[in-house]
């Protein structure tokens, strides 16, 4: 279990994270989202023990990754911008990790084969996506209980994304925690069971992904006329409403019925659907869905 | 940590081989081709084997080069996420790289020294007392370890590779410029002119000189007289110098180890404000380099030209420090005050 307690991080005078509190239970695939520069990578580095918090602490399995070296062998951090000597190979890099982790070379080979990445090709000759796939193979082969994967879908083609998601599900066990950051929210939605949205250095939203998505409902209404719809007096609040011609899209709380907004006589049909993770994110960012 | 050092030894063997081979080939070539040895012993008319300074001088380059090669990974903004994410403390990570660098250095020194010596003995068989070359090798090992550790300390004070290289170079330039200007002080302290006594390499060269003198098969009393009576001041200052540098090395090592685990790796790639770098070294170098104009260009236009050149270099140094041509008030004062001080000392 990962416990984050009042975590604050300054880079010089700039406060990147402020008073973050969170608990991530074992067996979780946690999606960490936020706009660029929100502090996602910083949070992953803090969890990995690479950097020190300015205030607060991170407790993993009742110990601190800053001081407990044996704990750190259970954590693997995959950077969003891995940099390796162009002449070295994936196999060379695997040898480095073999020094520190209970590295399973067979798993490394198997996953590399799944992705179709050659372990003996120099990094200089591999594409960005292939390097990423190779690093994913290394990450799983380390046997780390805590996999912190930064911008993990970056550079992966649709086939590789699918293979990776299958791997995640296959390798997920009751005591493992995966923390992923990505801007590909559709991919995260498929595999994550909980999430945290960092905004302005804090968790704006945090919790079970399904529960959170089901709190909000999206109505697509076919109106009878193209004239701008007039909502009922004293209607409940809503998150967003847009009208294009006769199609009205209204996003509101799950508990609210469409007829509390519009007179039944004003529309022909109404379709109700859950919102996607991407739409949820945009709503929180107050961007038009 | 041990396992990581073994890993470095195993994976960097080619690098170690190349690092040993290049200076060794150079040293062998210089010794093999050299025909005239100056400085003849007046008793035996045998020249002193000064050519054996060759591996020592090549090693001076290596002790500057190796900390940069070995520790660059720890100061590279691109490599931060790879090395510091490894499950070991920052102190152990640094120590592993430091120790491996030292191992490489010892390998380079040993290979280069003994192969050079074999070439030398091949050219002059049974001429010199070869036994005295063994302490030359050992003292060389001590001194290269000292300078290597000091250079590593300086490199680790920086937040980037470029700054690390600059810190090492500035330190060594200061150790040439400061004593160059303090000839008078030395004379007052020691009764004679030993300007480079504060330079770490001066100890290495002086020790090497001692054993090179002893290797000459002159009457033993004559050698003892040269070393222990004719140049007592040099000998005492040499011993003092060695003790001071060993203490400095140990202190710098303890300081680095104490600081390493709390070092903020997010600073890597940012400006280096350490007092062991630009902020202090540039003003010191500028002050003393202008002060050296006492002998070169007092009252002459050449002195002014040199002063402008030195000041320009100082400004370039601050541009590099700030990564900008915009200097702060402190930077400008750090140039103006040394210039004034230097002028006062030099009496231009």
């Amino acid at each position: 279990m990962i416990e984050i307690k009042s975590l604050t991080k300054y880079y010089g005078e700039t406060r990147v994270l402020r008073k973050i509190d969170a608990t991530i239970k074992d067996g979780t695939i946690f999606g960490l989202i936020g706009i660029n520069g929100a502090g996602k990578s910083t949070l992953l580095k803090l969890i990995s023990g690479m950097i020190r918090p300015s205030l607060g602490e991170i407790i993993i399995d009742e110990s601190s990754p800053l001081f407990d070296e044996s704990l750190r062998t259970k954590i693997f951090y995959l950077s969003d911008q891995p940099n390796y000597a162009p002449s070295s190979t994936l196999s060379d890099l695997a040898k480095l990790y073999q020094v520190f982790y209970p590295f399973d070379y067979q798993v490394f080979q198997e996953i590399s084969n799944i992705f179709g990445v050659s372990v003996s090709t120099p990094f200089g000759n591999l594409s960005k996506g292939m390097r990423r796939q190779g690093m994913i193979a290394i990450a799983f082969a380390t046997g780390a209980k805590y996999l912190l994967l930064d911008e993990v879908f970056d550079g992966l083609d649709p086939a590789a994304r699918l293979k990776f998601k299958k791997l995640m599900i296959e390798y997920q066990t009751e005591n493992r925690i995966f923390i992923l950051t990505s801007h590909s929210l559709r991919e995260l939605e498929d595999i994550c069971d909980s999430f945290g949205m960092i905004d302005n250095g804090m968790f704006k939203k945090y919790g079970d992904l399904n529960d959170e998505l089901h709190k909000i409902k999206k109505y697509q209404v076919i109106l009878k006329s193209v004239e701008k719809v007039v909502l009922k007096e004293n209607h409940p609040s809503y998150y967003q409403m847009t009208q294009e011609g006769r199609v009205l899209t209204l996003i509101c709380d799950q508990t609210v019925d469409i007829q509390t907004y519009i007179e039944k006589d004003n529309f022909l049909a109404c379709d109700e659907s859950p919102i996607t993770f991407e739409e949820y994110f945009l709503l929180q960012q107050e961007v038009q869905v | 940590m041990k396992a990581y050092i073994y890993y470095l030894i195993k994976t960097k063997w080619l690098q170690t081989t190349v690092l040993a081979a290049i200076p060794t080939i150079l040293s062998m070539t210089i010794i093999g081709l050299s025909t005239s040895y100056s400085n003849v012993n007046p008793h035996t008319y045998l020249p002193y084997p000064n050519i054996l300074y060759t591996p020592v001088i090549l090693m001076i380059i290596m002790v500057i080069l190796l900390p940069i090669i070995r520790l660059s990974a720890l100061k590279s903004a691109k490599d931060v996420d790879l090395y510091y994410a490894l499950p070991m403390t920052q102190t152990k990570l640094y120590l592993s790289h430091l120790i491996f660098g030292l191992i490489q250095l010892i390998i380079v020194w040993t290979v280069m020294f003994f192969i050079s010596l074999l070439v030398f003995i091949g050219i002059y068989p049974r001429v010199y007392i070869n036994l005295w070359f063994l302490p030359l090798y050992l003292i060389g090992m001590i001194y290269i370890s000292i300078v290597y550790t000091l250079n590593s300390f300086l490199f680790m004070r920086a937040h980037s590779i470029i700054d690390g290289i600059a810190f090492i170079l500035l330190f060594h330039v200061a150790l040439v410029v400061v004593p160059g200007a303090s000839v008078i002080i030395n004379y007052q302290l020691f009764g004679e002119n030993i300007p480079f006594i504060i330079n770490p390499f001066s100890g290495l060269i002086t020790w090497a000189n001692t054993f090179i003198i002893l290797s000459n098969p002159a009457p033993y009393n004559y050698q003892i007289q040269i070393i222990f009576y004719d140049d007592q001041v040099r000998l005492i200052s040499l011993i003092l110098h060695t003790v001071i540098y060993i203490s400095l090395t140990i202190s710098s090592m303890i300081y680095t180890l104490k600081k390493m685990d709390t070092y903020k790796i997010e600073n890597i790639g940012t400006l280096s404000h350490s007092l062991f770098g630009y902020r202090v070294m540039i003003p010191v170098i500028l002050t003393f380099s202008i002060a050296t104009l006492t002998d070169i260009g007092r009252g002459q236009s050449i002195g002014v030209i040199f002063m402008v050149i030195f000041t320009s270099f100082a400004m370039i140094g601050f541009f590099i420090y700030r990564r900008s041509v915009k200097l702060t008030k402190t930077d400008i004062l750090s140039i103006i005050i040394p210039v004034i001080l230097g002028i006062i000392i030099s009496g231009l």
Side-chain angles (χ1 to χ4, degrees), chain A residues 52-103:
Chain A
R52 308 170 81 84
S54 306
L55 288 165
E57 59 178 347
I58 292 170
I59 303 294
I60 302 175
D61 290 348
E62 296 173 357
S63 186
S64 166
L66 285 175
F67 311 109
D68 188 344
E69 244 176 76
S70 66
L71 171 65
R72 286 188 65 176
T73 61
K74 293 179 189 168
I75 304 169
F76 183 89
Y77 168 70
L78 171 58
S79 166
D80 57 336
Q81 289 173 325
N83 181 61
Y84 312 107
S87 58
S88 67
T89 63
L90 259 177
S91 185
D92 293 336
L93 202 60
K95 283 176 194 156
L96 171 65
Y97 288 106
Q98 276 175 324
V99 173
F100 299 99
Y101 293 93
F103 199 87

Side-chain angles (χ1 to χ4, degrees), chain A residues 10-287:
Chain A
Y10 283 90
Y11 283 150
E13 298 290 308
T14 313
R15 187 169 57 188
V16 183
L17 299 175
R18 56 173 174 153
K19 287 194 173 177
I20 286 194
D21 286 289
T23 302
I24 304 172
K25 288 180 183 163
D26 288 353
T28 304
I29 300 179
F30 189 89
L32 193 57
I33 60 169
I35 57 165
N36 291 327
K40 304 183 293 290
S41 301
T42 301
L43 183 56
L44 285 193
K45 285 177 186 176
L46 283 161
I47 295 171
S48 75
M50 266 179 80
I51 57 174
R52 308 170 81 84
S54 306
L55 288 165
E57 59 178 347
I58 292 170
I59 303 294
I60 302 175
D61 290 348
E62 296 173 357
S63 186
S64 166
L66 285 175
F67 311 109
D68 188 344
E69 244 176 76
S70 66
L71 171 65
R72 286 188 65 176
T73 61
K74 293 179 189 168
I75 304 169
F76 183 89
Y77 168 70
L78 171 58
S79 166
D80 57 336
Q81 289 173 325
N83 181 61
Y84 312 107
S87 58
S88 67
T89 63
L90 259 177
S91 185
D92 293 336
L93 202 60
K95 283 176 194 156
L96 171 65
Y97 288 106
Q98 276 175 324
V99 173
F100 299 99
Y101 293 93
F103 199 87
D104 190 331
Y105 204 83
Q106 203 182 331
V107 169
F108 168 62
Q109 286 278 15
E110 278 172 13
I111 298 177
S112 302
N113 289 340
I114 290 171
F115 283 122
V117 182
S118 161
V119 298
S120 55
T121 306
F123 275 107
N125 297 344
L126 292 177
S127 70
K128 185 183 175 185
M130 289 166 104
R131 285 182 206 176
R132 178 69 64 178
Q133 289 162 27
M135 284 312 299
I136 290 168
I138 286 178
F140 281 102
T142 58
K145 182 181 168 186
Y146 303 99
L147 284 186
L148 315 175
L149 310 173
D150 202 357
E151 301 295 352
V152 70
F153 294 104
D154 194 20
L156 298 189
D157 60 51
R161 285 177 179 215
L162 188 66
K163 285 173 189 171
F164 170 66
K165 285 190 281 188
K166 280 182 180 172
L167 273 174
M168 291 283 291
I169 293 159
E170 188 186 331
Y171 278 83
Q172 176 63 326
T173 58
E174 277 183 4
N175 66 347
R176 256 191 166 157
I177 292 178
F178 292 116
I179 304 181
L180 291 82
T181 76
S182 179
H183 293 294
S184 304
L185 303 187
R186 282 175 196 174
E187 312 294 354
L188 288 184
E189 191 179 346
D190 289 344
I191 47 172
C192 291
D193 39 39
S194 60
F195 80 107
M197 183 195 289
I198 303 181
D199 188 32
N200 205 16
M202 297 174 79
F203 269 148
K204 188 173 184 179
K205 291 283 175 182
Y206 151 72
D208 186 279
L209 182 59
N210 256 329
D211 286 354
E212 200 64 29
L213 293 182
H214 280 94
K215 282 179 185 170
I216 300 170
K217 198 159 48 176
K218 185 167 79 174
Y219 286 113
Q220 285 202 303
V221 185
I222 312 294
L223 300 166
K224 282 186 176 170
S225 97
V226 290
E227 281 174 29
K228 198 176 177 208
V229 72
V230 179
L231 297 182
K232 277 183 177 177
E233 272 184 29
N234 300 323
H235 64 80
S237 63
Y238 56 85
Y239 294 105
Q240 228 172 66
M241 185 177 76
T242 51
Q243 185 181 345
E244 280 180 38
R246 286 170 57 197
V247 179
L248 175 84
T249 307
L250 190 123
I251 300 170
C252 60
D253 198 88
Q254 184 216 16
T255 53
V256 185
D257 186 6
I258 189 68
Q259 288 187 36
T260 57
Y261 294 96
I262 315 167
E263 292 288 351
K264 201 180 176 186
D265 296 343
N266 288 351
F267 65 88
L268 296 169
C270 176
D271 182 33
E272 179 193 317
S273 61
I275 61 161
T276 64
F277 196 19
E278 198 164 79
E279 286 168 333
Y280 177 85
F281 176 77
L282 292 172
L283 272 181
Q284 301 303 328
Q285 296 300 317
E286 291 169 8
V287 176

Side-chain angles (χ1 to χ4, degrees), chain A residues 9 52 69 72 79 83, chain B residues 79 81 84 92 261 266:
Chain A
K9 180 66 187 173
R52 308 170 81 84
E69 244 176 76
R72 286 188 65 176
S79 166
N83 181 61
Chain B
D79 289 332
D81 289 350
Y84 289 96
K92 284 185 182 173
D261 263 345
E266 60 265 32

Side-chain angles (χ1 to χ4, degrees), chain B residues 8 12-17 19-20 59 62 66 69-70 97-110 148:
Chain B
L8 289 171
K12 304 278 181 195
W13 66 269
L14 186 63
Q15 186 190 67
T16 311
T17 310
L19 283 170
M59 238 15 235
M62 294 306 290
L66 249 162
I69 295 173
R70 207 59 295 128
H97 280 252
L98 186 81
I99 292 169
F100 175 55
L102 195 60
I103 291 169
Q104 283 187 308
L105 205 65
I106 290 168
I107 291 171
V108 173
W109 172 238
T110 306
Y148 168 77

Side-chain angles (χ1 to χ4, degrees), chain B residues 59-75 94 97-98 101-102 104-105 144 147-156 161 164-165 168 172:
Chain B
M59 238 15 235
I60 289 173
I61 300 165
M62 294 306 290
V63 290
I64 291 176
L65 207 62
L66 249 162
I68 297 167
I69 295 173
R70 207 59 295 128
L71 300 172
S72 282
L74 306 185
K75 291 291 174 183
Y94 163 68
H97 280 252
L98 186 81
L102 195 60
Q104 283 187 308
L105 205 65
I144 59 170
V147 185
Y148 168 77
T149 312
L150 284 176
N151 285 344
S152 303
F153 164 78
L154 290 165
F155 191 85
M156 292 307 285
I161 299 170
I165 295 169
I168 292 175
H172 287 286

Side-chain angles (χ1 to χ4, degrees), chain B residues 318 321-322 325-335:
Chain B
F318 274 103
Y321 165 34
R322 296 286 175 194
V325 287
K326 282 183 187 169
L327 300 184
T328 64
K329 277 181 190 170
T330 320
D331 299 338
I332 294 164
L333 282 175
S334 301
I335 295 172

